[in-house]
């Protein structure tokens, strides 16, 4: 369309909210390049409140600038942002310690609310203590770094979600640090390396708002063989739960502790590093599952027992367990080997889940095709309470 003064410049006339919407959908390097569109667009990209410096961003810098200027270029870009940066994703892998310090210092003064830091090479880099001055943080995700809260650190009073994956946790007091973040609805501690004092049940119990929890049980204080049940009793609002049994030892002594109430809000349950050759562990897990009446998705990731390359199946205690009806819709078994106890669990879920749609089985990589076929035929013959339930086999 043309006016009496010539064609209209629609690009320059776009309102800021439309421009912002466009820029937030572009990779950072492409958002910066929009400055060539017109004089009016030259610094539009500085309105961004969400910045992503990921592997693709640094690959672009390598292609255009060489391999020694990552931190300097990223720092110069960020200096153009005058407004708050509320969300920041930073891949630390190609940055040196000084660059990391400068970038964390910068965003700590920008009102950051959502921060993701990733570092996937070894040795892991130590995060600068400036991260603990980001008191407005609501979401923090750290992967593959050394996370060392100094003694007496205030914590993150506004944090709603904390996710630590493959992190070396220093600081000596994981439970104490967690309690200094009193508001989280999401807490995920996956594959963390930690040699300090164990997390106490009382510390977990203070997180009254938790809806999603992923926790390695080996870091839980070993007050008794029933502490898994005590942990669950502290968190009645949970909707999703993931428990890692790696290096977690259970003993036979004592009766299995019963829950006093069911947990109707819990919809998803994931069990990692479960040993299907350990009848004690399985009895505890089954007792937990039976108290989740509205559970919809369930996932098992099995691990082979380190002290027995070919573990012998151990019958699950209390063979007269009642088949309580469940709301399960999806079940997944990973590293399935066809042990007697694995078949028992599948038989149980098929029999007590009238709403079940699929059981997905991922074979253990050591299982030969002939063995896979044998176990598949056996499982496909099992009775199903659901008329639409399927058993799907994959890798």
């Amino acid at each position: 369309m043309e006016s009496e003064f010539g064609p209209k410049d629609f690009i320059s006339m776009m309102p800021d909210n439309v421009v912002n919407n466009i820029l937030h959908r572009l990779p950072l390097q492409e958002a910066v390049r929009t400055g060539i569109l017109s004089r009016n667009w030259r610094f539009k990209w500085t309105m961004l409140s969400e910045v992503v410096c990921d592997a693709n961003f640094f690959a672009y810098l390598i292609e255009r600038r060489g391999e020694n200027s990552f931190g300097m270029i990223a720092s110069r870009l960020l200096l153009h942002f005058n407004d708050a940066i509320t969300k920041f994703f930073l891949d630390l892998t190609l940055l040196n310690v000084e660059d990391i310090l400068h970038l964390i210092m910068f965003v700590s003064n920008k009102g950051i609310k959502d921060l993701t830091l990733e570092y996937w090479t070894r040795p892991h880099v130590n995060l600068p203590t400036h991260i603990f001055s980001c008191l407005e943080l609501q979401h923090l995700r750290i992967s593959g770094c050394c996370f060392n809260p100094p003694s007496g650190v205030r914590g993150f009073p506004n944090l709603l979600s904390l996710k630590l994956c493959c992190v070396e946790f220093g600081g000596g007091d994981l439970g104490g640090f967690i309690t200094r973040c009193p508001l989280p609805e999401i807490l995920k501690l996956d594959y963390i390396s930690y040699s300090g004092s164990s997390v106490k049940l009382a510390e977990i119990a203070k997180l009254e708002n938790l809806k999603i929890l992923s926790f390695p049980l080996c870091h839980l204080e070993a007050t008794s063989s029933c502490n898994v049940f005590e942990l669950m009793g502290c968190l009645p609002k949970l909707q999703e739960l993931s428990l890692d049994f790696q290096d977690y030892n259970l003993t036979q002594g004592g009766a299995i502790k019963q829950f006093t109430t069911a947990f109707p809000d819990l919809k998803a349950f994931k069990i990692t590093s479960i040993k299907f050759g350990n009848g004690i562990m399985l009895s505890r897990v089954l007792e937990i599952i039976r108290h989740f009446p509205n559970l919809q998705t369930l996932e098992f990731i099995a691990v082979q027992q380190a002290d027995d390359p070919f573990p012998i199946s151990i019958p699950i205690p209390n063979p007269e367990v009642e088949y309580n009806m469940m709301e399960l819709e999806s079940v997944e078994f990973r590293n399935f080997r066809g042990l007697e106890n694995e078949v028992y669990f599948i038989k149980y879920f098929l029999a007590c889940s009238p709403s079940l749609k699929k059981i997905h089985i991922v074979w253990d990589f050591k299982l030969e095709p002939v063995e896979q076929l044998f176990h598949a035929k056996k499982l496909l013959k099992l009775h199903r309470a659901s008329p639409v339930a399927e058993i799907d086999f994959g890798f």
Side-chain angles (χ1 to χ4, degrees), residues 161-217:
S161 68
L162 174 63
K163 301 178 182 179
L164 305 180
C165 179
C166 300
V167 165
E168 295 179 19
F169 187 92
D173 186 9
L174 177 59
F177 173 73
I178 290 173
T179 59
R180 290 193 288 276
C181 306
L183 301 178
E185 298 178 354
I186 301 174
L187 175 62
K188 291 189 174 183
L189 308 177
D190 297 321
Y191 309 109
I192 63 172
S193 174
Y194 174 63
S195 57
S197 57
S198 298
V199 178
K200 298 178 176 60
L201 288 167
E203 293 169 330
I204 296 291
K206 291 181 180 179
L207 307 180
E208 299 178 352
N209 297 320
L210 268 187
K211 296 179 181 179
I212 299 175
L213 173 65
S214 180
F215 192 82
L217 290 172

Side-chain angles (χ1 to χ4, degrees), residues 290-336:
R290 293 176 65 234
H291 285 78
F292 300 154
N294 296 320
L295 190 65
Q296 295 178 358
T297 63
L298 179 61
E299 181 179 356
F300 295 93
I301 301 179
V303 65
Q304 189 171 298
Q305 289 180 258
D307 57 347
D308 187 356
F310 303 98
I312 299 174
S313 297
I314 304 172
I316 300 175
N318 188 12
E320 299 180 356
V321 172
E322 296 181 1
Y323 277 18
N324 295 348
M325 290 296 104
M326 304 176 66
E327 299 296 325
L328 275 175
E329 296 181 1
S330 173
V331 180
E332 182 169 345
F333 285 81
R334 291 191 170 272
N335 304 327
F336 186 86

Side-chain angles (χ1 to χ4, degrees), residues 43-203:
F43 292 108
K44 289 288 188 181
W45 58 272
T46 63
M47 297 190 304
L48 286 171
S49 59
E50 300 180 6
V51 179
V52 178
C53 297
D54 59 6
N56 291 329
F57 171 74
F58 288 111
Y60 175 84
L61 294 186
I62 291 175
E63 181 182 348
R64 295 299 181 98
R65 300 282 185 169
E67 299 188 5
N68 299 314
S69 55
F70 311 121
M72 180 182 67
I73 294 174
S75 296
R76 286 180 177 176
L77 282 176
L78 290 177
L79 286 174
H80 286 85
F81 290 88
N82 297 318
D83 297 328
I85 298 177
T86 57
K87 186 174 183 179
F88 188 43
F89 180 107
L90 179 61
D91 188 331
L92 307 174
T93 307
L94 297 176
L95 301 177
N96 59 42
V97 174
E98 186 176 352
D99 291 333
I100 294 171
L101 175 61
H102 288 161
L103 292 170
I104 297 298
M105 285 180 61
F106 179 82
V107 298
S108 68
N109 295 316
K110 284 291 185 177
I112 188 74
K113 294 183 179 181
D114 190 322
L115 178 62
T116 300
L117 302 173
E118 292 188 353
Y119 188 89
W120 293 112
T121 59
R122 287 184 178 273
H124 287 161
V125 66
N126 284 304
L127 294 178
T129 55
H130 288 83
I131 191 173
F132 299 103
S133 63
C134 303
L135 299 181
E136 296 181 41
L137 268 182
Q138 296 179 359
H139 307 282
L140 176 61
R141 291 171 291 275
I142 300 176
S143 300
C145 302
C146 292
F147 188 61
N148 301 307
S151 58
V153 68
R154 180 178 174 183
F156 301 107
N158 298 303
L159 204 65
L160 298 178
S161 68
L162 174 63
K163 301 178 182 179
L164 305 180
C165 179
C166 300
V167 165
E168 295 179 19
F169 187 92
D173 186 9
L174 177 59
F177 173 73
I178 290 173
T179 59
R180 290 193 288 276
C181 306
L183 301 178
E185 298 178 354
I186 301 174
L187 175 62
K188 291 189 174 183
L189 308 177
D190 297 321
Y191 309 109
I192 63 172
S193 174
Y194 174 63
S195 57
S197 57
S198 298
V199 178
K200 298 178 176 60
L201 288 167
E203 293 169 330

